[in-house]
């Protein structure tokens, strides 16, 4: 088992997996709270243009993907504010345009091909370079700083924007910051999970944690723990079985969700029964006192 650490590329892949396991649920919990679970999927489509732009210009695709994805996320947020009845159409054009732009630009690049895009669409443990690790580490630090440092403010905005606005919070600024943070998270995860599957890692660990915990802090902690476990396990599994890491990680995450849901359902039922019995005893006691 430990021979996996003899390979430098696997050391980099495992480090990237841990960072993805932390950052994806840390952002995903806010998106789930806002009922924007598929936002990561849309950003992933837009980030594909950034990846292709990196190949076309000779720059690091991670950084160009960050720039394009951040711009796309800001546009999504502006459309959400001002789009109203035509907002869904505008978002659809943004998503499809991002995908088409990526394919077009990669074929215009002298050094790129559709095969290069595949490693970003589905993840590839063998292509995480030292430069990628540096970029991913810096971006992950930014995500953790925002999602944990501003957790109270972000939670308030995601829970009830009107109430947050009344209390004096800069709601629009926080919304834009969350959108940019989600875009950064997508680019952090694209080397391990892939752009097409990153949204699942942002949502599924959070959904699993919600089945077993109560309260924001406990849900966030458990979601991050699940994220780290499934990303590491999926990366190791993909190394030994020669399968795409993104698919392995997402399947494991869904499996964890299924197990936690199966275990949590009887416990929730027993808690409900005990609560009903306690309420009935209180009612009987009140009747006797009367």
């Amino acid at each position: 088992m430990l021979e996996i650490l003899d390979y430098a590329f696997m050391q980099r892949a495992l480090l990237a997996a841990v960072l993805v396991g932390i950052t994806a649920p840390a952002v995903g919990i806010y998106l789930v709270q806002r009922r924007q679970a598929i936002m990561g999927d849309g950003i992933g489509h837009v980030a594909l243009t950034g990846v292709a732009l990196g190949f076309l210009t000779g720059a690091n695709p991670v950084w160009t993907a960050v720039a394009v994805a951040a711009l796309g996320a800001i546009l999504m947020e502006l459309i959400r504010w001002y789009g109203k009845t035509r907002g869904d159409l505008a978002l659809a054009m943004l998503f499809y345009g991002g995908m088409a732009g990526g394919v077009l630009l990669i074929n215009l690049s002298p050094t790129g091909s559709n095969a290069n895009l595949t490693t970003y669409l589905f993840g590839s443990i063998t292509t995480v370079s030292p430069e990628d690790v540096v970029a991913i580490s810096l971006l992950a630090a930014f995500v953790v700083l925002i999602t944990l440092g501003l957790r109270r403010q972000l939670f308030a905005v995601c829970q009830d924007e009107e109430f947050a606005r009344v209390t004096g919070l800069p709601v629009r600024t926080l919304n834009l910051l969350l959108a940019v943070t989600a875009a950064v998270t997508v680019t952090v995860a694209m080397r391990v999970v892939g752009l097409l599957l990153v949204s699942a890692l942002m949502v599924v660990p959070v959904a699993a944690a919600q089945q077993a915990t109560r309260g924001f802090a406990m849900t966030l902690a458990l979601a991050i723990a699940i994220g780290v476990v499934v990303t590491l396990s999926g990366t190791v599994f993909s190394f030994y079985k020669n399968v795409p890491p993104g698919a392995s990680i997402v399947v494991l995450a869904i499996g964890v969700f299924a197990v936690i849901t199966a275990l949590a359902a009887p416990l929730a039922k027993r808690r409900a029964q005990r609560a009903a019995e306690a309420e009935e005893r209180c009612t009987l006691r009140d009747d006797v006192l009367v």
Side-chain angles (χ1 to χ4, degrees):
M1 178 65 179
L2 292 179
E3 68 271 12
I4 193 174
L5 298 178
D6 294 335
Y7 301 94
F9 74 91
M10 281 308 300
Q11 295 173 12
R12 296 192 294 269
L14 291 172
L15 176 58
V18 170
L19 296 175
V20 170
I22 294 171
T23 55
V27 173
I29 192 169
Y30 300 106
L31 300 183
V32 171
Q33 190 71 29
R34 295 178 64 175
R35 294 178 175 83
Q36 292 181 329
I38 63 171
M39 184 177 180
D41 189 44
I43 295 174
H45 284 70
V46 177
L48 193 63
T49 295
V51 171
L53 186 62
F55 281 101
L56 184 64
T57 61
N60 188 326
V62 174
W63 293 114
T64 54
V66 168
V68 174
L71 288 175
I74 291 172
L75 279 175
M76 290 179 206
E77 192 61 29
L78 293 176
I79 290 171
R80 188 176 73 89
W81 291 344
Y82 304 113
K84 297 183 180 179
T85 57
R86 307 294 291 178
D88 58 339
L89 181 59
L91 287 174
M93 288 192 291
L94 183 63
F95 296 167
Y96 300 145
M99 199 76 165
V103 175
L104 179 63
L105 290 178
I106 198 68
N107 283 279
L108 291 175
S109 170
T111 59
S113 66
N114 289 335
N116 296 121
L117 286 186
T118 302
T119 63
Y120 289 89
L121 287 172
F122 300 102
S124 175
I125 60 174
T126 61
T127 58
V128 179
S129 66
E131 293 77 14
D132 289 334
V133 172
V134 173
I136 291 171
S137 299
L138 293 174
L139 295 171
F142 168 80
V143 172
V144 171
L145 180 65
I146 297 299
T147 55
L148 298 185
L150 297 176
R151 63 187 182 279
R152 296 182 185 276
Q153 294 88 336
L154 292 175
F155 176 77
V157 170
C158 294
Q159 185 73 15
D160 190 335
E161 283 193 8
E162 292 302 323
F163 177 77
R165 187 175 289 109
V166 170
T167 59
L169 289 176
V171 173
R172 289 193 173 183
T173 301
L174 289 170
N175 279 331
L176 285 174
L177 185 59
L178 180 60
V180 171
T181 304
V184 171
T185 303
V186 168
T187 55
V188 168
M190 67 183 181
R191 301 297 274 159
V192 176
V193 186
L195 292 171
L196 293 183
L197 296 174
V198 62
S199 185
L201 192 59
M202 297 169 75
V203 173
V204 177
V206 176
Q210 287 178 333
Q211 305 299 312
T213 59
R214 294 181 179 179
F216 177 79
M218 288 299 297
T219 300
L220 176 60
L222 181 57
I224 290 175
I226 293 172
V228 172
V229 169
V230 297
T231 50
L232 283 177
S233 301
T235 302
V236 172
F237 179 80
S238 68
F239 172 78
Y240 285 107
K241 298 300 182 181
N242 194 27
V243 294
S248 303
I249 290 168
V250 172
V251 168
L252 282 173
I254 293 174
V256 171
F257 171 80
V259 170
I260 291 179
T261 301
L263 294 175
L267 294 176
K269 185 177 180 180
R270 281 198 291 269
R271 283 198 298 265
Q273 289 176 344
R274 285 196 294 267
E277 291 171 357
E279 184 178 356
E280 184 178 354
R281 286 195 297 269
C282 289
T283 303
L284 291 174
R285 184 181 61 188
D286 292 341
D287 291 341
V288 170
L289 291 175
V290 172

